[in-house]
Each structure stands twice: as structure tokens, then as C-alpha cells.
Amino acid sequence: EPEVTQTPSHQVTQMGQEVILRCVPISNHLYFYWYRQILGQKVEFLVSFYNNEISEKSEIFDDQFSVERPDGSNFTLKIRSTKLEDSAMYFCASREGLLSNQPQHFGDGTRLSIL
Amino acid sequence: GENVEQHPSTLSVQEGDSAVIKCTYSDSASNYFPWYKQELGKRPQLIIDIRSNVGEKKDQRIAVTLNKTAKHFSLHITETQPEDSAVYFCAAPNTGGFKTIFGAGTRLFVKA
């Protein structure tokens, strides 16, 4: 069964450094998402992406964050100048079609640790 | 704004008993209600979902019910087993499905 893949599985970065998290969505999927989960807390929506544009973003997704689909397969989340509070699990997800009543498929996540 | 409330935050049951987790949502345009199971350190895994044109859906030991009028939906697990122990999240999308709001999660413990 096709899967969403994320790399790296664990990223350790110094505060203030830039970090790029990578995702390869399922190949025929059209909608892509990034979520964040701070340890022991709920899954929080960051951003959705369709047709090379951001569809919607949350209050968390400020100017330090950006997303990109550089080559038609990868979907990346960049954090420009990391803060301690960016430490969390970051999940990428993709959805097949345009209908909002279709399931999202999650990757295994990247654990981001900011020192 | 959009909100999804989930209760209880923790649920402990004996093996073989049933477990019920409830969620309410605020966006009346929401039309899709998934439930995810998350084991420690793993990704959320979709276990069942329901669309707003049905009131109930069952898959073996798990079922979901939806009351659109009251904006409630519930997860029911029957004949619980220790391997059902995990955190369960409900979720609801906003109009168009561009944003999905998750509930705060329910930590289910099934005691053998």
C-alpha cells in the first residue's frame, strides 16, 4: 500500500538555525498538509497546500514557516529561525482528491529537537 | 472559530468492556468525521470515519455514530483488548476540508 514518507525521522538543530523537513506524499494525491504535535498534546494543523499554493494556514504558521513543492514529488516545510518552542513532532499528510470527505494519510513524522 | 471538543481525556476499562469517546464540533459545514488511533511515538492512524450523510458506521469491534443536529459524533469500541490501549483523536474539517481540527485526545487504558 502506498505511504507518505518523511525524512529525517529525527532532526536536532541549534536554536536560530534554519531547518527543512521533507515529505513525499502519495503519488496521485492532490492535497498536502503539515501538522505539529508537541509531546503529549494534540495534533495541530499548520498548513494545507493545493495546486502549488497554500489553501489555508493556522495562527501557528507565521512568517518563520514556509512550504514548497520544489520538484513535483517532495513537499517541504521550512522553519527559518528555529525557537525552542518549535520542538515537536511534525507530520505530513496527503489526501487523494478534491472532496473534503476523503481521508488524509499521515507519514511517520519527523521529531524536531531544538537545542 | 472552529473547535472540536473531546471527552473524556482519560478512559480506563477492563478487557472485554466497551469504551465510548465523544466529540462535539462547531463548524456546521463539517461533513467528514475521522477517528485516529495513535500509539506512543507513532503516527495517527485512521481507524474509522463517517460522512455526514449517514448516522452510523461499523467495522468489526469499532463503530462511529453521528448526530448532525447536535453536532456530536462518538467512537464505540466493544470487547476491548489490551492492544486497543492508545490515544484516540477525533477530527473535523472546515468547509472545503482545507483545515482539519483535532480533538484533544483520549488516552484509553485497557486493563487485562
Side-chain angles (χ1 to χ4, degrees), chain A residues 7 9 19-20 22-23 26-27 40 53 55 57 65-66 72-73 95-96 105:
Chain A
T7 54
S9 57
V19 67
I20 297 176
R22 301 180 193 281
C23 169
I26 295 173
S27 63
E53 288 184 347
S55 300
K57 57 185 181 180
F65 290 87
S66 62
S73 63
R95 185 181 95 196
E96 182 174 357
H105 299 259

Side-chain angles (χ1 to χ4, degrees), chain A:
Chain A
E1 187 178 324
E3 287 189 340
V4 175
T5 57
Q6 289 186 244
T7 54
S9 57
H10 191 191
Q11 174 79 45
V12 182
T13 300
Q14 290 288 332
M15 185 173 61
Q17 296 296 305
E18 175 183 287
V19 67
I20 297 176
L21 310 183
R22 301 180 193 281
C23 169
V24 179
I26 295 173
S27 63
N28 63 334
H29 284 197
L30 299 177
Y31 274 96
F32 315 119
Y33 303 82
W34 282 103
Y35 294 90
R36 177 182 85 175
Q37 187 177 32
I38 294 170
L39 186 64
Q41 298 188 21
K42 71 175 180 180
V43 178
E44 298 176 287
F45 169 84
L46 291 178
V47 66
S48 57
F49 192 86
Y50 168 71
N51 200 26
N52 284 320
E53 288 184 347
I54 290 175
S55 300
E56 191 152 354
K57 57 185 181 180
S58 71
E59 316 76 53
I60 303 168
F61 194 89
D62 62 20
D63 292 344
Q64 293 299 313
F65 290 87
S66 62
V67 288
E68 197 177 33
R69 189 158 161 80
D71 57 12
S73 63
N74 287 283
F75 177 52
T76 61
L77 174 70
K78 182 194 288 187
I79 309 175
R80 238 176 300 278
S81 177
T82 50
K83 304 188 276 282
L84 293 175
E85 52 265 37
D86 293 326
S87 295
M89 196 76 163
Y90 288 81
F91 291 104
C92 173
S94 68
R95 185 181 95 196
E96 182 174 357
L98 299 177
L99 297 177
S100 60
N101 62 358
Q102 293 176 319
Q104 296 177 30
H105 299 259
F106 282 76
D108 285 333
T110 293
R111 181 170 301 283
L112 178 62
S113 300
I114 307 300
L115 304 179

Side-chain angles (χ1 to χ4, degrees), chain B residues 18-34:
Chain B
S18 295
V20 180
I21 303 169
K22 299 183 179 183
C23 284
T24 60
Y25 61 97
S26 60
D27 188 340
S28 55
S30 294
N31 63 353
Y32 175 68
F33 306 93

